[in-house]
Amino acid sequence: PRLLSQFFFADERVTRVVAEINGLDAELDPQQYLVLLNQLHLSQAHLLAVLERIMEECIPTQRHSRDYLVKFPEELLVDNLGNHMLFAAECLLAGTFLEVEESDGAQLRPQARNLLCSLELVRTVLREQSLSQPNSYPEPVRAVLIQFDRLFAEFELSYVSSLVAVKSPDEIYRQQEIIVLFCETVERALHLGYLTQEMIDGYEPLLMFTIPRLAIISGLLIYPEGPLSLERSPEEMSRVFSPFYNLLKKIRDLLWVLSAEELCLLERSLCTAE
């Protein structure tokens, strides 16, 4: 059950698979080579998972900030992102640029080298610690973990930034504004009886249509200075709504002429119409 013991055996597995790959002629046995590569991928993923748990146990308050993850596209936020970063670093160090431009890869290589050297140091230090005192994390162990955690985070941000356009702080803020608008819309709809708590707790499918419709009305009439503010230019709005800028102006102009009773009737119909 001890994490350092788990790390020792996970590290042994990685070392064993690497030795098998190095002793194999890939041209003579390409199928076995692919099998071993898959085993290496799985064993490295397990090693990183154990290492992540060790850092959470050993340096929980000294972890490098991962706030930058909110800038990443959602499709990149997968469970094996860390293992993908390790593979990318190994490719860059070998001079292979699979996903990035060669110029970007050349700039990333020093970071990749530092990260992989730090990982080797972590593996050495933790192996020694697991064989001597597997129940403690002395200061030298903590120091190499803190350094590795920082280098990993810095490489991850740099590598992904060279791959895709990460969100700017303004984009993230606009996204948060939309979240707040939807939350306030739901609270208002519950208060007015348009929705029930049972519908929300039961994940009523109709809510996927109802809440955005009500949010547009709320954003145009109830919270006109929020993310649907038409005082902004389309470029200043969230990309969710900016393509519909002119349509939103027409909707707002129509809403302005409705009485309170007509607005209530409209909102109730939006909660039932398909």
Side-chain angles (χ1 to χ4, degrees):
R2 292 176 297 193
L3 287 177
L4 281 175
S5 298
Q6 293 179 32
F7 182 87
F8 177 86
F9 288 107
D11 186 73
E12 282 277 285
R13 177 61 178 162
V14 171
T15 302
R16 189 162 57 249
V17 175
V18 170
E20 290 184 47
I21 290 176
N22 290 337
L24 182 71
D25 189 327
E27 293 185 358
L28 292 178
D29 196 347
Q31 186 173 359
Q32 180 62 15
Y33 181 71
L34 292 176
V35 170
L36 290 176
L37 277 182
N38 184 58
Q39 290 180 7
L40 178 62
H41 176 80
L42 294 174
S43 60
Q44 284 181 329
H46 179 57
L47 181 71
L48 286 178
V50 177
L51 181 55
E52 176 69 22
R53 291 169 59 198
I54 288 175
M55 290 191 290
E56 281 298 308
E57 180 177 87
C58 179
I59 53 169
T61 61
Q62 297 167 288
R63 299 293 304 272
H64 193 83
S65 172
R66 295 302 198 279
D67 289 348
Y68 59 82
L69 289 174
V70 300
K71 299 181 178 183
F72 291 1
E74 291 184 5
E75 61 268 20
L76 288 183
L77 300 178
V78 293
D79 291 338
N80 63 345
L81 180 60
N83 201 40
H84 184 79
M85 290 300 102
L86 182 59
F87 177 69
E90 292 169 340
C91 289
L92 288 171
L93 199 58
T96 304
F97 309 109
L98 295 179
E99 299 175 311
V100 298
E101 297 292 332
E102 187 170 346
S103 58
D104 292 331
Q107 292 182 339
L108 288 166
R109 282 190 73 183
Q111 280 185 286
R113 181 182 297 107
N114 291 338
L115 172 61
L116 294 175
C117 288
S118 178
L119 177 59
E120 285 305 307
L121 179 59
V122 165
R123 290 177 63 183
T124 300
V125 169
L126 290 184
R127 280 175 63 89
E128 293 174 353
Q129 188 65 24
S130 68
L131 293 172
S132 57
Q133 294 177 301
N135 292 317
S136 64
Y137 299 103
E139 188 54 38
V141 173
R142 296 167 62 86
V144 297
L145 288 173
I146 291 171
Q147 180 190 48
F148 171 74
D149 189 46
R150 175 180 61 81
L151 291 173
F152 198 103
E154 291 173 352
F155 176 78
E156 185 174 57
L157 176 57
S158 298
Y159 186 82
V160 173
S161 296
S162 69
L163 231 103
V164 296
V166 298
K167 299 171 188 172
S168 68
D170 285 341
E171 288 174 308
I172 295 169
Y173 180 74
R174 287 195 287 265
Q175 227 177 27
Q176 291 171 336
E177 278 191 314
I178 294 173
I179 293 171
V180 171
L181 172 63
F182 273 56
C183 290
E184 291 177 336
T185 296
V186 170
E187 184 177 353
R188 177 173 173 269
L190 288 171
H191 176 71
L192 295 175
Y194 298 153
L195 305 176
T196 65
Q197 190 63 49
E198 289 73 20
M199 294 172 67
I200 296 173
D201 294 341
Y203 302 103
E204 173 62 46
L206 185 62
L207 295 180
M208 290 193 299
F209 302 98
T210 298
I211 294 175
R213 290 167 175 170
L214 294 177
I216 290 174
I217 294 180
S218 295
L220 293 173
L221 290 185
I222 314 300
Y223 312 107
E225 304 204 351
L228 284 181
S229 172
L230 298 178
E231 300 303 315
R232 306 176 181 181
S233 67
E235 293 75 22
E236 294 175 310
M237 296 180 72
S238 166
R239 285 181 292 180
V240 175
F241 296 115
S242 59
F244 310 104
Y245 185 82
N246 291 328
L247 177 59
L248 289 170
K249 291 185 74 171
K250 293 178 181 179
I251 294 174
R252 182 196 61 182
D253 293 343
L254 290 172
L255 293 174
W256 273 350
V257 302
L258 296 180
S259 66
E261 292 77 11
E262 290 171 331
L263 178 62
C264 178
L265 181 61
L266 172 63
E267 289 184 306
R268 287 192 178 278
S269 68
L270 291 177
C271 294
T272 56
E274 294 183 1

